[in-house]
Amino acid sequence: MSETVFDNLRRAILDYDGDAAEEWARKAVEEKLEPAGAMEVLTDAIRQVGEGFAREELWLPDLVGAAEAFTRAIPVLEERLASMGRERDVLGKVVIGTVAADIHDIGKNMVRIFLTAEGFDVHDLGVNVAAETFLEAVKEHEPDILAMSALLTLTAVQQKAVILALEAEGLRDMVKVMVGGGAVTAEFARMVGADGYDPTAIGAVQVARRLVGA
Amino acid sequence: MTMKGFIVRNPVSVLSPDELERVHGAMLEVLRETGVVFEHPKALDVLADAGCRVDREKMLVKFPPYLVEDSLRRCPSRVTLKARNPKYDVDIGGNRMYFCPWVAMNLYDADTGERRAPREEDVLQAATVLDYLDEVHVYGFGNFANVDESVAPGLCAYPWGMAFNLRHTEKALFGAAILGIEPWIVEMFQAAGVRPGMLVSGAPPLTWPGHQLLVVFAAAEADFPIMPFCGMAAGSNSPATLAGTLVQNYAEMSAMITLAQSLKPGMEVLAGDYSQLMGMREAVVVQGGPEAALLDAAWSQIWRRHDIPRTGFNTRTDAKVIDYQGAAEKTLTLLLSVLSGSNKIYFHGGVYDELLASPVAAVMDNDVAKMVMRIVEGIKVTEDTLAVDVIDKVGPMPGHFLSEKHTREWWMKEQLLPEVADRSSYERWLAEGKKDFLARAKDRCAEIAKTHEVPPLPDDVDRELEKIYRSAKKTIQSWGL
Ligand code: B12
């Protein structure tokens, strides 16, 4: 029995079907299957899609479709874990947002989706995020990583402002800072004092893994 | 006096009348059923008063079709921009067509083939060349929107750039602002006595950000036209289908036009679109090629239906250097954009998407613009051009036309004389050092930059701009930006 539920769960991801993913996650809960096992199935399916993308057999909508289906199933299983007094094994917690004055979010959304699919717990603060809002979110969620996206050269220095604010509040050592977006280069990332940078959303996942030592 | 630009008499269509009608119907349905978010209470008030259903908590506005139709009807059919020198004023709309340069993030260094951040001297060189080139009818923002930090730090690059443009070109300009810096921007243009178009950027899908609505309010107050646009990457923040992308952006734009006409009846709007594709391999925006050309032509058709002037954004390329792909993609989209009747086209100087620009490319583009204009002029058929008399006179061999008065009178009107493109003999080409288009354009660009002079602003205006810039800078820096 558990095999069919798990098979269907895997199929939902491979079919990029969010409704089915949520439904089969619920079934797994109803049938009192081990939530950690279900999560492993999901992660494995996502990895399979990721490999297909890396081999250039699959395309961006496949990858994002699978990742979003994954994020539909996860909360159902998390809830179940919580009711058992347990927590999901995540690679780490991430707070992400596009810096103040900047409303570009296509790339930032991709980073969020890929990090989520990789097994990070991601809080997305949206676009036009003020330095104080980043700071509050760091205090509230205590993330392992703060990720900032910036596409306007004009306001990319906001990333520096946030880092300075973290220092001023004595929070800088508690969180790794990762930056990216069209206006950010490796050199710029060094200049603002970030811990990690990558020019792509896929690369952001590897950077994040490195930052949490995974 | 206004710039002539050129006239496109019989624009081509890519949608059938029935298809156009269906796109229109779908747009009205999206506005009625899904609605558009306006992130500012004043916009919500204005639209509620005009008869929209407004959900204040979600800032979501749903539009009755009659109001949208009515606003599209009332939207003026012309946009006029006033330049520093009145000979460069433009009257955008109807069958008239103008070119303006592409604004990009980085410089394509035509000598090294590398990209780098523009320095002040690069921005100045581009400005000088664009001021000179005769087919740059509107200067807009010029080729670069930013400059290195040492010149203007952070957000100060905005007011710095606007003052710079007022100083270094006599042509008509655009203005833009984010995060509430519009008062200084408007003040600068007013100090110089010009009337720019103000760029307003939406955030697709179906959202107009609050700080961009501030620009709309400031433009209404200053009686400046607005140039709204939304950046769509089909398949990412708009549907993957070209038709779906048309519907979504048509809805976003019509919502903005409804706001503008409700806020200030008769407000001039230059409709933008800016639709591109999502590259599904590395997640980049794909901006050149046939899809862009089709979208561009469809937009011309859509706005022509309402007699609302439109600006075309799609004459771009994904080539990273000045090469064959770049030339092909830019020309494909340019030709269709012109033939479909865009009123203003971003064109000169773009290299890779809008990420790289080069004044050398602008020099090449100027020739291409002339070629396209020549095509648009068409074949003139009159008694005189049919030339029956002179054919009769010269008759069969060994007669020739070279010495005929008819030839002297007509050849230069019929033949294009490009400034840089090569139409010379092979021998001359050899003798002149086998230069290709790029090499010739580089020479010409350097020459223009060296010799062309833009008259300075009157002293008092210059001082006033400096004062406004300082005040803007002080405020911006106090915000930590
Ligand atoms: C689409 C677009 C828009 C849309 C945005 C829609 C949306 N919902 O995001 C709209 C129309 C709203 C828009 C508006 C404006 N835009 Co715009 N826009 C673009 C455009 C065409 C594409 C950007 C994009 O989405 N790229 C695709 C994504 C996937 O790339 P990405 O975000 O860089 O992300 C990738 C990586 O960087 C990485 N990544 C992203 N974030 C992060 C974070 C981390 C931590 C990491 C590790 C990695 C990472 O992952 C992604 C995938 O690999 C670019 C030009 C271009 N061709 O790139 C201009 C561009 C970014 N825009 C520009 C400008 C100037 C503006 C405006 C200011 C124009 C104006 N005057 O009004 C406004 C700004 C409004 C504002 N306050 O922000 C300039 C910026 C120049 C500069 N550097 O200063 C550009 C470069 C165009 C130009 N002409 O120069 N724009």
Side-chain angles (χ1 to χ4, degrees):
Chain A
M1 190 62 205
S2 88
E3 250 180 68
T4 28
V5 174
F6 283 178
D7 284 348
N8 279 304
L9 207 46
R10 170 189 303 278
R11 182 103 321 269
I13 302 296
L14 299 181
D15 285 347
Y16 323 118
D17 186 342
D19 290 343
E22 193 178 327
E23 193 189 316
W24 286 103
R26 283 195 197 295
K27 280 261 167 55
V29 172
E30 273 165 30
E31 295 186 12
K32 304 212 166 26
L33 302 176
E34 171 53 42
M39 284 193 184
E40 210 163 290
V41 168
L42 289 168
T43 311
D44 192 56
I46 271 287
R47 197 166 300 135
Q48 194 176 326
V49 175
E51 283 163 7
F53 183 80
R55 284 196 305 273
E56 306 213 339
E57 286 163 11
L58 297 179
W59 296 87
L60 194 59
D62 308 326
L63 194 58
V64 175
E68 297 234 304
F70 177 88
T71 59
R72 292 278 299 279
I74 287 295
V76 179
L77 300 171
E78 270 179 338
E79 202 182 310
R80 168 77 181 138
L81 276 175
S83 74
M84 298 160 74
R86 284 158 54 191
E87 259 187 41
R88 170 158 78 111
D89 249 350
V90 292
L91 282 176
K93 239 190 216 180
V94 181
V95 163
I96 193 170
T98 302
V99 300
D102 195 334
I103 59 167
H104 295 88
D105 67 356
I106 301 177
K108 184 262 303 163
N109 291 346
M110 234 131 48
V111 175
R112 179 198 64 220
I113 292 164
F114 293 161
L115 287 177
T116 308
E118 187 70 11
F120 285 91
D121 179 16
V122 189
H123 294 264
D124 188 348
L125 304 177
V127 296
N128 188 10
V129 179
E132 310 86 73
T133 313
F134 276 119
L135 224 62
E136 276 161 29
V138 168
K139 287 184 196 156
E140 187 192 333
H141 301 291
E142 300 181 354
D144 302 282
I145 298 175
L146 174 64
M148 289 181 281
S149 183
L151 272 88
L152 298 173
T153 320
L154 308 175
T155 50
V157 288
Q158 275 292 306
Q159 296 176 330
K160 173 115 196 166
V162 173
I163 291 175
L164 288 176
L166 286 173
E167 277 168 11
E169 300 251 343
L171 295 168
R172 182 65 186 88
D173 295 334
M174 294 168 54
V175 62
K176 299 284 185 198
V177 178
M178 177 164 92
V179 296
V184 181
T185 58
E187 192 195 337
F188 184 87
R190 258 195 308 279
M191 195 267 283
V192 300
D195 304 303
Y197 158 78
D198 198 89
T200 69
I202 311 267
V205 172
Q206 297 317 317
V207 173
R209 288 191 74 105
R210 179 170 59 73
L211 291 179
V212 297
Chain B
M1 204 171 73
T2 30
M3 288 285 274
K4 283 212 317 289
F6 61 102
I7 303 290
V8 179
R9 266 174 233 290
N10 301 302
V12 300
S13 298
V14 289
L15 297 170
S16 71
D18 176 52
E19 287 166 344
L20 185 59
E21 217 35 60
R22 289 183 67 180
V23 170
H24 182 74
M27 172 277 283
L28 291 174
E29 191 179 330
V30 168
L31 286 180
R32 195 186 56 218
E33 301 298 329
T34 312
V36 173
V37 165
F38 283 82
E39 297 176 335
H40 196 286
K42 180 170 164 189
L44 299 177
D45 290 343
V46 169
L47 288 166
D49 280 352
C52 295
R53 272 192 296 140
V54 175
D55 177 335
R56 293 202 177 249
E57 206 179 319
K58 292 187 185 146
M59 300 197 255
L60 182 67
V61 182
K62 296 190 177 174
F63 295 76
Y66 76 86
L67 177 66
V68 179
E69 299 268 24
D70 192 48
S71 305
L72 292 171
R73 222 173 358 257
R74 285 188 296 138
C75 188
S77 54
R78 325 287 312 180
V79 165
T80 54
L81 304 185
K82 295 210 178 313
R84 232 180 86 183
N85 182 337
K87 87 174 181 195
Y88 292 123
D89 288 354
V90 285
D91 176 19
I92 308 172
N95 285 334
R96 198 174 295 282
M97 162 57 245
Y98 296 107
F99 288 119
C100 76
W102 250 116
V103 51
M105 187 162 144
N106 282 310
L107 172 82
Y108 173 77
D109 185 327
D111 290 323
T112 61
E114 300 295 326
R115 76 172 164 193
R116 64 178 169 81
R119 295 187 283 260
E120 192 173 359
E121 64 264 28
D122 300 316
V123 187
L124 182 61
Q125 190 200 41
T128 310
V129 171
L130 295 173
D131 185 82
Y132 168 85
L133 293 175
D134 53 350
E135 308 312 343
V136 173
H137 308 122
V138 178
Y139 182 87
F141 292 111
N143 277 153
F144 302 105
N146 39 285
V147 67
D148 53 283
E149 287 274 309
S150 61
V151 179
L155 198 53
C156 296
Y158 254 93
W160 180 87
M162 305 294 154
F164 182 94
N165 292 345
L166 281 164
R167 289 184 173 114
H168 295 286
T169 181
E170 294 191 296
K171 294 180 180 175
L173 301 175
F174 306 153
I178 54 177
L179 214 74
I181 60 168
E182 63 286 340
W184 292 279
I185 304 290
V186 168
E187 210 186 323
M188 280 182 173
F189 289 118
Q190 285 172 332
V194 305
R195 186 176 199 240
M198 294 296 286
L199 214 64
V200 178
S201 56
L206 305 170
T207 305
W208 288 101
H211 66 86
Q212 291 299 293
L213 294 169
L214 292 177
V215 177
V216 177
F217 305 147
E221 184 88 19
D223 192 31
F224 292 166
I226 52 167
M227 311 193 304
F229 72 105
C230 300
M232 285 154 308
S236 172
N237 60 354
S238 74
T241 49
L242 301 189
T245 287
L246 289 176
V247 170
Q248 183 184 308
N249 193 222
Y250 193 5
E252 290 158 345
M253 293 300 301
S254 300
M256 174 49 77
I257 288 171
T258 304
L259 172 70
Q261 297 315 315
S262 310
L263 179 71
K264 186 180 178 216
M267 185 162 188
E268 291 172 26
V269 181
L270 180 61
D273 29 83
Y274 194 60
S275 23
Q276 50 239 331
L277 312 174
M278 195 70 206
M280 297 302 188
R281 183 55 73 209
E282 308 89 358
V284 290
V285 171
V286 172
Q287 303 198 320
E291 309 85 348
L294 282 168
L295 284 168
D296 202 277
W299 284 120
S300 297
Q301 215 182 327
I302 285 171
W303 295 114
R304 190 164 66 244
R305 179 185 198 271
H306 302 294
D307 200 9
I308 292 175
R310 126 162 230 268
T311 183
F313 279 93
N314 283 356
T315 55
R316 287 165 291 182
T317 171
D318 299 298
K320 317 302 185 272
V321 295
I322 296 176
D323 69 354
Y324 184 92
Q325 181 188 340
E329 287 182 345
K330 284 184 73 168
T331 310
L332 267 183
T333 45
L334 176 71
L335 192 60
L336 203 55
S337 188
V338 168
L339 295 180
S340 65
S342 303
N343 298 112
K344 180 178 79 59
I345 300 180
Y346 283 89
F347 181 54
H348 285 71
V351 179
Y352 166 39
D353 286 346
E354 39 178 326
L355 296 174
L356 293 177
S358 150
V360 173
V363 169
M364 302 164 95
D365 291 331
N366 206 59
D367 264 7
V368 177
K370 283 184 199 297
M371 296 180 202
V372 170
M373 287 167 74
R374 178 64 191 91
I375 291 173
V376 168
E377 265 171 34
I379 297 177
K380 193 172 178 143
V381 180
T382 66
E383 190 73 23
D384 204 13
T385 62
L386 287 168
V388 173
D389 288 348
V390 68
I391 293 171
D392 180 58
K393 181 179 162 209
V394 172
M397 285 279 269
H400 65 79
F401 294 89
L402 275 173
S403 56
E404 289 306 313
K405 179 161 172 277
H406 185 267
T407 304
R408 280 195 304 284
E409 197 176 306
W410 278 102
W411 81 269
M412 241 202 260
K413 290 182 195 152
E414 294 285 62
Q415 258 190 45
L416 173 70
L417 294 175
E419 253 192 87
V420 196
D422 180 18
R423 284 184 148 187
S424 71
S425 70
Y426 200 87
E427 286 65 34
R428 178 168 175 161
W429 175 74
L430 280 179
E432 287 182 352
K434 296 198 211 173
K435 285 189 177 155
D436 64 6
F437 195 19
L438 178 58
R440 298 158 71 97
K442 276 192 219 167
D443 292 349
R444 185 74 188 116
C445 182
E447 194 179 308
I448 298 168
K450 212 161 78 193
T451 53
H452 181 63
E453 268 174 43
V454 181
L457 279 172
D459 275 348
D460 54 330
V461 177
D462 197 281
R463 272 197 306 273
E464 187 59 25
L465 288 184
E466 197 49 41
K467 215 173 89 193
I468 301 168
Y469 175 63
R470 284 223 202 91
S471 145
K473 187 171 170 183
K474 205 167 134 200
T475 310
I476 290 170
Q477 294 192 325
S478 77
W479 295 340
L481 291 171

